């Protein structure tokens, strides 16, 4: 016998105890009633993951659960917000207990890591799609936005760039793997399916970052959003971009910088810091053991310029776009 919607909510979702300090009413009533700590502002973000679009149809239920929460946590991280609550809207073809149990394990293990409370949501029948709305706290006036980058600021990224894109090609059987590549390929798949939201980094850089964004569509596209919002340009030195281990073993099979810079789904943070704050930044990142790399500099002249060993590099497409079909951009050359 199948599960009813109400059994699912009661048996799978209502298991965690709510924090009485900030959750006045959680799951089970018509609305959640929540308390924002005095002096804080609420940062809110929503993401939908559609089967076959945001994750391959072969993705495990555990990974879908993890990723549903990770994408929203990554948005909070990019603004320097501390995660607090999540709403979860699930559209499912059926209420299949084994799938749901595994989904919940992925979802709740990440939620407990960051002390995020599931406070409500919805369950509907239809093609598999998951929407999460994340809520976080940030001290009033201290959120990091995309709009604060200034000429001369240094551009940093966390972790490595492009691993999730390789993972996607792998999962879609579009890469032939050399034998010695097996260990690396596991890392790429992990980066795709279990992204590690940089929550601690977002909190740590609040006092030094002038702008930040999380990398969901691709480094080039997401950095371009910062440049647009800040009305500035940038140069990125490609030789400094931190690349995933093992990339060289499959480099002939992928479209080089195009693949790395527009691959998306890495959920790392790209951020800018004024030169006088760099020493403090390195100290903060050392403390939380988060790897960061200097990849470029903000310039007054608008546009994103890519350079490799002083030579200009051009890519055709900045990053993933819904509804894009044949809509392509060309990144400026060095001029
Ligand atoms: P209503 O019909 O009044 O909108 P529902 O029957 O949809 O209420 O939901 C009952 C309770 O269960 C609500 O508190 C709702 O927030 C919660 N809920 C429903 N679906 C989910 C879900 N996927 N995750 C968390 N809570 C949920
Ligand atoms: Mg109601």
């Amino acid at each position: 016998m199948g599960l009813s919607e109400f059994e699912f909510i009661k048996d799978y979702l209502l298991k965690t105890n709510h924090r009485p300090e900030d959750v006045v009413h959680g799951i089970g009533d018509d609305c959640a009633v929540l308390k924002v700590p005095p002096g804080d502002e609420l940062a809110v973000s929503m993401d939908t993951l559609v089967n076959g679009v945001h994750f391959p149809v072969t993705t495990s239920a555990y990974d879908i659960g993890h990723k549903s929460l990770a994408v929203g946590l990554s948005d909070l991280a990019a603004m320097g917000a501390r995660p607090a609550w999540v709403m979860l809207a699930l559209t499912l073809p059926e209420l299949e207990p084994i799938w749901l149990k595994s989904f919940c394990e992925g979802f709740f293990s990440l939620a407990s890591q960051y002390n995020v409370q599931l406070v409500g949501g919805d369950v509907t029948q239809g093609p598999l799609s998951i929407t999460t709305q994340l809520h976080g706290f940030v001290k009033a006036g201290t959120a990091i936005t995309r709009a604060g980058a200034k000429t001369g600021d240094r551009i940093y990224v966390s972790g490595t760039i492009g691993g999730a894109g390789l993972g996607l090609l792998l999962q879609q059987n579009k890469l032939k793997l050399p034998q010695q590549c097996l260990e690396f390929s596991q890392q790429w798949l992990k980066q795709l399916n279990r992204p590690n939201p940089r929550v601690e980094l977002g909190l740590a850089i609040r006092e030094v970052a002038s702008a930040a964004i999380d990398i969901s569509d691709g480094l080039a596209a997401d950095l371009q959003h910062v440049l647009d919002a800040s009305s500035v340009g940038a140069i990125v030195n490609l030789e400094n971009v931190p690349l995933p281990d093992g990339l060289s073993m499959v480099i002939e099979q992928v479209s080089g910088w195009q693949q790395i810079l527009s691959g998306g789904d890495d959920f790392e943070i790209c951020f800018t810091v004024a030169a006088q704050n760099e020493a403090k930044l390195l100290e903060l990142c050392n403390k939380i053991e988060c790897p960061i790399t200097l990849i470029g500099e903000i310039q007054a002249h608008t546009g994103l310029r890519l350079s490799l060993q002083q030579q200009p590099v051009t890519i055709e497409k900045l990053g993933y776009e819904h509804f894009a079909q044949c809509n392509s951009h060309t990144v400026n050359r060095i001029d």
Side-chain angles (χ1 to χ4, degrees), residues 252-272:
E252 280 84 33
Q253 298 179 58
V254 301
S255 54
W257 289 110
Q258 174 71 62
Q259 168 67 34
I260 295 299
L261 298 174
S262 66
D265 263 13
D266 284 318
F267 296 103
E268 296 293 348
I269 305 285
C270 176
F271 60 99
T272 59

PDB file of all heavy atoms in Angstrom, residues 252-272:
ATOM      1  N   GLU A 252      41.481  16.529 -23.575  1.00  0.00           N
ATOM      2  CA  GLU A 252      41.244  16.430 -25.033  1.00  0.00           C
ATOM      3  C   GLU A 252      39.779  16.187 -25.351  1.00  0.00           C
ATOM      4  O   GLU A 252      39.329  16.428 -26.458  1.00  0.00           O
ATOM      5  CB  GLU A 252      42.074  15.299 -25.667  1.00  0.00           C
ATOM      6  CG  GLU A 252      43.525  15.658 -25.929  1.00  0.00           C
ATOM      7  CD  GLU A 252      44.368  15.461 -24.695  1.00  0.00           C
ATOM      8  OE1 GLU A 252      44.044  14.528 -23.913  1.00  0.00           O
ATOM      9  OE2 GLU A 252      45.314  16.235 -24.477  1.00  0.00           O
ATOM     10  N   GLN A 253      39.039  15.675 -24.370  1.00  0.00           N
ATOM     11  CA  GLN A 253      37.638  15.331 -24.646  1.00  0.00           C
ATOM     12  C   GLN A 253      36.671  16.473 -24.350  1.00  0.00           C
ATOM     13  O   GLN A 253      35.486  16.367 -24.650  1.00  0.00           O
ATOM     14  CB  GLN A 253      37.219  14.132 -23.792  1.00  0.00           C
ATOM     15  CG  GLN A 253      37.993  12.871 -24.049  1.00  0.00           C
ATOM     16  CD  GLN A 253      37.508  11.777 -23.120  1.00  0.00           C
ATOM     17  OE1 GLN A 253      36.342  11.420 -23.117  1.00  0.00           O
ATOM     18  NE2 GLN A 253      38.405  11.264 -22.310  1.00  0.00           N
ATOM     19  N   VAL A 254      37.149  17.529 -23.682  1.00  0.00           N
ATOM     20  CA  VAL A 254      36.230  18.617 -23.309  1.00  0.00           C
ATOM     21  C   VAL A 254      36.652  19.905 -24.008  1.00  0.00           C
ATOM     22  O   VAL A 254      37.772  20.012 -24.517  1.00  0.00           O
ATOM     23  CB  VAL A 254      36.174  18.834 -21.765  1.00  0.00           C
ATOM     24  CG1 VAL A 254      35.727  17.568 -21.070  1.00  0.00           C
ATOM     25  CG2 VAL A 254      37.505  19.310 -21.218  1.00  0.00           C
ATOM     26  N   SER A 255      35.740  20.890 -23.978  1.00  0.00           N
ATOM     27  CA  SER A 255      36.020  22.109 -24.735  1.00  0.00           C
ATOM     28  C   SER A 255      36.821  23.115 -23.903  1.00  0.00           C
ATOM     29  O   SER A 255      36.434  24.271 -23.776  1.00  0.00           O
ATOM     30  CB  SER A 255      34.707  22.725 -25.197  1.00  0.00           C
ATOM     31  OG  SER A 255      33.868  22.902 -24.070  1.00  0.00           O
ATOM     32  N   GLY A 256      37.906  22.667 -23.298  1.00  0.00           N
ATOM     33  CA  GLY A 256      38.886  23.531 -22.645  1.00  0.00           C
ATOM     34  C   GLY A 256      38.304  24.554 -21.683  1.00  0.00           C
ATOM     35  O   GLY A 256      37.500  24.214 -20.816  1.00  0.00           O
ATOM     36  N   TRP A 257      38.707  25.807 -21.846  1.00  0.00           N
ATOM     37  CA  TRP A 257      38.272  26.861 -20.918  1.00  0.00           C
ATOM     38  C   TRP A 257      36.765  27.059 -20.964  1.00  0.00           C
ATOM     39  O   TRP A 257      36.147  27.421 -19.970  1.00  0.00           O
ATOM     40  CB  TRP A 257      38.998  28.166 -21.219  1.00  0.00           C
ATOM     41  CG  TRP A 257      40.430  28.075 -20.830  1.00  0.00           C
ATOM     42  CD1 TRP A 257      41.517  28.033 -21.654  1.00  0.00           C
ATOM     43  CD2 TRP A 257      40.937  27.949 -19.490  1.00  0.00           C
ATOM     44  NE1 TRP A 257      42.664  27.889 -20.918  1.00  0.00           N
ATOM     45  CE2 TRP A 257      42.344  27.839 -19.582  1.00  0.00           C
ATOM     46  CE3 TRP A 257      40.349  27.903 -18.227  1.00  0.00           C
ATOM     47  CZ2 TRP A 257      43.160  27.699 -18.476  1.00  0.00           C
ATOM     48  CZ3 TRP A 257      41.160  27.770 -17.102  1.00  0.00           C
ATOM     49  CH2 TRP A 257      42.543  27.668 -17.238  1.00  0.00           C
ATOM     50  N   GLN A 258      36.188  26.855 -22.142  1.00  0.00           N
ATOM     51  CA  GLN A 258      34.733  26.970 -22.253  1.00  0.00           C
ATOM     52  C   GLN A 258      34.053  26.036 -21.235  1.00  0.00           C
ATOM     53  O   GLN A 258      33.155  26.440 -20.499  1.00  0.00           O
ATOM     54  CB  GLN A 258      34.303  26.592 -23.683  1.00  0.00           C
ATOM     55  CG  GLN A 258      32.806  26.534 -23.890  1.00  0.00           C
ATOM     56  CD  GLN A 258      32.194  27.923 -23.864  1.00  0.00           C
ATOM     57  OE1 GLN A 258      32.508  28.750 -24.688  1.00  0.00           O
ATOM     58  NE2 GLN A 258      31.331  28.177 -22.901  1.00  0.00           N
ATOM     59  N   GLN A 259      34.521  24.804 -21.179  1.00  0.00           N
ATOM     60  CA  GLN A 259      33.942  23.808 -20.270  1.00  0.00           C
ATOM     61  C   GLN A 259      34.154  24.229 -18.805  1.00  0.00           C
ATOM     62  O   GLN A 259      33.229  24.183 -17.994  1.00  0.00           O
ATOM     63  CB  GLN A 259      34.608  22.446 -20.537  1.00  0.00           C
ATOM     64  CG  GLN A 259      34.326  21.388 -19.499  1.00  0.00           C
ATOM     65  CD  GLN A 259      32.876  20.954 -19.481  1.00  0.00           C
ATOM     66  OE1 GLN A 259      32.218  20.912 -20.512  1.00  0.00           O
ATOM     67  NE2 GLN A 259      32.347  20.665 -18.296  1.00  0.00           N
ATOM     68  N   ILE A 260      35.369  24.656 -18.483  1.00  0.00           N
ATOM     69  CA  ILE A 260      35.690  24.986 -17.089  1.00  0.00           C
ATOM     70  C   ILE A 260      34.926  26.226 -16.624  1.00  0.00           C
ATOM     71  O   ILE A 260      34.354  26.253 -15.535  1.00  0.00           O
ATOM     72  CB  ILE A 260      37.213  25.242 -16.945  1.00  0.00           C
ATOM     73  CG1 ILE A 260      37.993  23.957 -17.244  1.00  0.00           C
ATOM     74  CG2 ILE A 260      37.568  25.801 -15.576  1.00  0.00           C
ATOM     75  CD1 ILE A 260      37.674  22.815 -16.308  1.00  0.00           C
ATOM     76  N   LEU A 261      34.896  27.237 -17.461  1.00  0.00           N
ATOM     77  CA  LEU A 261      34.360  28.531 -17.021  1.00  0.00           C
ATOM     78  C   LEU A 261      32.850  28.614 -17.094  1.00  0.00           C
ATOM     79  O   LEU A 261      32.232  29.472 -16.473  1.00  0.00           O
ATOM     80  CB  LEU A 261      34.974  29.665 -17.851  1.00  0.00           C
ATOM     81  CG  LEU A 261      36.493  29.795 -17.728  1.00  0.00           C
ATOM     82  CD1 LEU A 261      37.004  30.839 -18.691  1.00  0.00           C
ATOM     83  CD2 LEU A 261      36.889  30.157 -16.297  1.00  0.00           C
ATOM     84  N   SER A 262      32.219  27.742 -17.889  1.00  0.00           N
ATOM     85  CA  SER A 262      30.761  27.827 -17.998  1.00  0.00           C
ATOM     86  C   SER A 262      30.085  26.545 -17.527  1.00  0.00           C
ATOM     87  O   SER A 262      28.896  26.349 -17.742  1.00  0.00           O
ATOM     88  CB  SER A 262      30.354  28.146 -19.436  1.00  0.00           C
ATOM     89  OG  SER A 262      30.709  27.063 -20.271  1.00  0.00           O
ATOM     90  N   GLY A 263      30.861  25.668 -16.890  1.00  0.00           N
ATOM     91  CA  GLY A 263      30.328  24.356 -16.485  1.00  0.00           C
ATOM     92  C   GLY A 263      29.231  24.434 -15.435  1.00  0.00           C
ATOM     93  O   GLY A 263      28.258  23.712 -15.483  1.00  0.00           O
ATOM     94  N   GLY A 264      29.359  25.342 -14.480  1.00  0.00           N
ATOM     95  CA  GLY A 264      28.316  25.512 -13.467  1.00  0.00           C
ATOM     96  C   GLY A 264      28.286  24.420 -12.408  1.00  0.00           C
ATOM     97  O   GLY A 264      29.053  23.459 -12.450  1.00  0.00           O
ATOM     98  N   ASP A 265      27.397  24.641 -11.413  1.00  0.00           N
ATOM     99  CA  ASP A 265      27.100  23.658 -10.367  1.00  0.00           C
ATOM    100  C   ASP A 265      28.221  23.409  -9.357  1.00  0.00           C
ATOM    101  O   ASP A 265      28.134  22.477  -8.572  1.00  0.00           O
ATOM    102  CB  ASP A 265      26.690  22.317 -10.984  1.00  0.00           C
ATOM    103  CG  ASP A 265      25.176  22.180 -11.044  1.00  0.00           C
ATOM    104  OD1 ASP A 265      24.488  23.208 -10.842  1.00  0.00           O
ATOM    105  OD2 ASP A 265      24.685  21.071 -11.261  1.00  0.00           O
ATOM    106  N   ASP A 266      29.271  24.250  -9.386  1.00  0.00           N
ATOM    107  CA  ASP A 266      30.346  24.024  -8.411  1.00  0.00           C
ATOM    108  C   ASP A 266      29.963  24.498  -7.011  1.00  0.00           C
ATOM    109  O   ASP A 266      30.491  24.021  -6.019  1.00  0.00           O
ATOM    110  CB  ASP A 266      31.626  24.732  -8.859  1.00  0.00           C
ATOM    111  CG  ASP A 266      32.313  23.980  -9.986  1.00  0.00           C
ATOM    112  OD1 ASP A 266      32.381  22.741  -9.913  1.00  0.00           O
ATOM    113  OD2 ASP A 266      32.750  24.632 -10.950  1.00  0.00           O
ATOM    114  N   PHE A 267      29.082  25.477  -6.936  1.00  0.00           N
ATOM    115  CA  PHE A 267      28.654  26.059  -5.657  1.00  0.00           C
ATOM    116  C   PHE A 267      29.821  26.495  -4.786  1.00  0.00           C
ATOM    117  O   PHE A 267      29.810  26.368  -3.577  1.00  0.00           O
ATOM    118  CB  PHE A 267      27.671  25.130  -4.933  1.00  0.00           C
ATOM    119  CG  PHE A 267      26.414  24.987  -5.741  1.00  0.00           C
ATOM    120  CD1 PHE A 267      26.186  23.846  -6.486  1.00  0.00           C
ATOM    121  CD2 PHE A 267      25.514  26.034  -5.835  1.00  0.00           C
ATOM    122  CE1 PHE A 267      25.060  23.745  -7.302  1.00  0.00           C
ATOM    123  CE2 PHE A 267      24.391  25.944  -6.650  1.00  0.00           C
ATOM    124  CZ  PHE A 267      24.157  24.801  -7.375  1.00  0.00           C
ATOM    125  N   GLU A 268      30.846  27.025  -5.470  1.00  0.00           N
ATOM    126  CA  GLU A 268      31.907  27.730  -4.754  1.00  0.00           C
ATOM    127  C   GLU A 268      31.496  29.202  -4.683  1.00  0.00           C
ATOM    128  O   GLU A 268      30.497  29.613  -5.273  1.00  0.00           O
ATOM    129  CB  GLU A 268      33.238  27.586  -5.507  1.00  0.00           C
ATOM    130  CG  GLU A 268      33.751  26.151  -5.586  1.00  0.00           C
ATOM    131  CD  GLU A 268      34.152  25.587  -4.226  1.00  0.00           C
ATOM    132  OE1 GLU A 268      34.247  26.361  -3.249  1.00  0.00           O
ATOM    133  OE2 GLU A 268      34.355  24.356  -4.136  1.00  0.00           O
ATOM    134  N   ILE A 269      32.278  30.004  -3.956  1.00  0.00           N
ATOM    135  CA  ILE A 269      31.977  31.434  -3.853  1.00  0.00           C
ATOM    136  C   ILE A 269      33.042  32.216  -4.618  1.00  0.00           C
ATOM    137  O   ILE A 269      34.241  31.930  -4.493  1.00  0.00           O
ATOM    138  CB  ILE A 269      31.977  31.900  -2.367  1.00  0.00           C
ATOM    139  CG1 ILE A 269      31.028  31.060  -1.511  1.00  0.00           C
ATOM    140  CG2 ILE A 269      31.633  33.384  -2.257  1.00  0.00           C
ATOM    141  CD1 ILE A 269      29.572  31.342  -1.691  1.00  0.00           C
ATOM    142  N   CYS A 270      32.600  33.169  -5.410  1.00  0.00           N
ATOM    143  CA  CYS A 270      33.508  34.109  -6.067  1.00  0.00           C
ATOM    144  C   CYS A 270      33.282  35.451  -5.376  1.00  0.00           C
ATOM    145  O   CYS A 270      32.129  35.887  -5.254  1.00  0.00           O
ATOM    146  CB  CYS A 270      33.172  34.193  -7.554  1.00  0.00           C
ATOM    147  SG  CYS A 270      34.156  35.415  -8.440  1.00  0.00           S
ATOM    148  N   PHE A 271      34.351  36.088  -4.904  1.00  0.00           N
ATOM    149  CA  PHE A 271      34.162  37.329  -4.147  1.00  0.00           C
ATOM    150  C   PHE A 271      35.307  38.301  -4.380  1.00  0.00           C
ATOM    151  O   PHE A 271      36.362  37.919  -4.873  1.00  0.00           O
ATOM    152  CB  PHE A 271      33.985  37.022  -2.651  1.00  0.00           C
ATOM    153  CG  PHE A 271      35.146  36.320  -2.008  1.00  0.00           C
ATOM    154  CD1 PHE A 271      36.084  37.021  -1.277  1.00  0.00           C
ATOM    155  CD2 PHE A 271      35.296  34.940  -2.123  1.00  0.00           C
ATOM    156  CE1 PHE A 271      37.157  36.372  -0.671  1.00  0.00           C
ATOM    157  CE2 PHE A 271      36.369  34.284  -1.539  1.00  0.00           C
ATOM    158  CZ  PHE A 271      37.287  35.007  -0.806  1.00  0.00           C
ATOM    159  N   THR A 272      35.047  39.552  -4.066  1.00  0.00           N
ATOM    160  CA  THR A 272      36.062  40.586  -4.267  1.00  0.00           C
ATOM    161  C   THR A 272      36.445  41.209  -2.920  1.00  0.00           C
ATOM    162  O   THR A 272      35.616  41.297  -2.005  1.00  0.00           O
ATOM    163  CB  THR A 272      35.537  41.687  -5.210  1.00  0.00           C
ATOM    164  OG1 THR A 272      34.355  42.256  -4.640  1.00  0.00           O
ATOM    165  CG2 THR A 272      35.203  41.127  -6.575  1.00  0.00           C
TER     166      THR A 272
END
